Amino acid sequence: MIAVVDYDIGNLAAVANMFKRIGAECEITSDVEKIRNATKLVLPGNGAFDACMRALRQTGLIPVLEEKVLQDLTPLLGICVGAQMLGHGSEEGVEKGLGWLDMAVKRFPSTLNLKIPHMGWTEVERVRPDDPLISGLDDRARFYFVHSYYMQPENPRDVLLAAHYGIDFAAAVRSGNIAGVQFHPEKSHRYGKQLLENFSRWN
Amino acid sequence: MARVRIIPCLLLRGHGLVKTRKFKDPVYLGDPVNVVRIFNEKEVDELVVLDIDASREGREPDYEVIAEIAGECFMPIAYGGGVRTLDQARRLIRCGVEKVVVNSAATESYDVIREAAQVFGRQAVVGAIDVKKTLLGGYRVVAKSATVEVKMPLDEHVQALIAAGAGEIFLNSVDRDGTMDGYDLSLIRRVSQQTSVPVIACGGAGTIEHLAAAVNEGGASAVAAGSMFVFHGRLRAVLINYPQGLELTR
């Protein structure tokens, strides 16, 4: 069962519905036992970095998540701010991140005169085309983004997908069993569905 | 070349979807969740859902229905209808909508646009304008499902919406609504020329050529349509459709 971690950050129904469509068993939950028994984990995130970190900490779920992700090596997918939270912290706030990935989260440079947040459908480039998480995505794959900050892994080899908005940034990252996507796969039709399907099959 | 978004605009009335003509004579189309599922299959770029009774009846958005629709949407969704306060905008975003559309309330005060843009960012706030042609050929802003005329001239209203924080302008022609005779291109041109933010044209689309004209002749950044995506044939049989593989660029 795929557990979508519920820590009161809004409607997660689209994520669960897309897994349902794929035929993967999935539950939106904040129950420790269900999370402990899950075969895969999804960490969503919406809104401000600090607010998400505080809300997650308040649920008391971080120890069980660490046990699953760092000891049992259960595959985890972070989405949007949920992906940013996997790093050490963010320029958006003062809260520490989970620190599971060696990664910083940066603001788009203001010198570029970009409209911030970056919002809308953007095409991605496959940096590691052989990675099972992004298999089946073609050159025209595009995803729906809404963000003002971007992930910057310490090791460039952790970048799976790159996108361009004024600068090149990491659209998807992975190190071992821990992965994160900056975009919203649950709002990205066929391409998002393909990625979630890859995740549901990933061992 | 930017890809132009093609956006079905769905009208909510009670728990069902309807389609109007010139903002009148609503025809029942079906259950919103079923319709959204069909648009999922067709991979539409984005959806706009407007509750056409909420403002006129002075009531709250129907959060339950909206959350259900948003949960079924595998694409970004904008909701409008009865949005007057920051708290309502907050609740809607928690329901899972990406954008909040403000129309009637902004004809009385721009506060909700300003506040929502500050909290959620401009990208999450759409200023919608319903426009009616006057007898002398000018344009008048109307509100509350075209039951109220607004004193503020169109151009000033557009500028004020953007200054307050609207990240997009949703421009709807009352006279063309449901006619499928084509957009009011001079209206679209007039508003597009004076704005820095994207203008979504709505009202009158019946063919792909109409969509292209709104972009190429009108200067719209995105195109929305109702009838064209829910009716089929001269007798307007209800059939949810969306041009497959169609890509407009500008």
Side-chain angles (χ1 to χ4, degrees), chain A residues 8-11 13-14 17-18 21 115 117 119 121 140 142 144 146 186-190, chain B residues 3 40-41 43-45 67 70-76 94-96 98-99 123 196 247:
Chain A
D8 196 33
I9 45 132
N11 189 359
N17 282 336
M18 207 174 239
R21 186 72 77 82
K115 284 187 183 169
M119 180 210 66
W121 291 94
R140 308 193 59 192
R142 55 195 181 97
Y144 185 74
V146 189
E186 79 281 12
K187 293 278 172 178
S188 303
H189 288 309
R190 158 163 49 126
Chain B
R3 205 168 165 282
N40 271 341
E41 296 297 327
E43 301 189 343
V44 308
D45 295 321
E72 289 292 336
C73 253
F74 297 156
M75 72 294 264
R94 283 189 68 86
C95 281
E98 277 70 27
K99 302 177 190 182
Q123 89 292 341
S196 49
E247 281 196 15

Side-chain angles (χ1 to χ4, degrees), chain B residues 172-183:
Chain B
N172 199 0
S173 160
V174 177
D175 310 285
R176 300 294 175 103
D177 174 56
T179 62
M180 300 178 78
D181 289 336
Y183 291 100

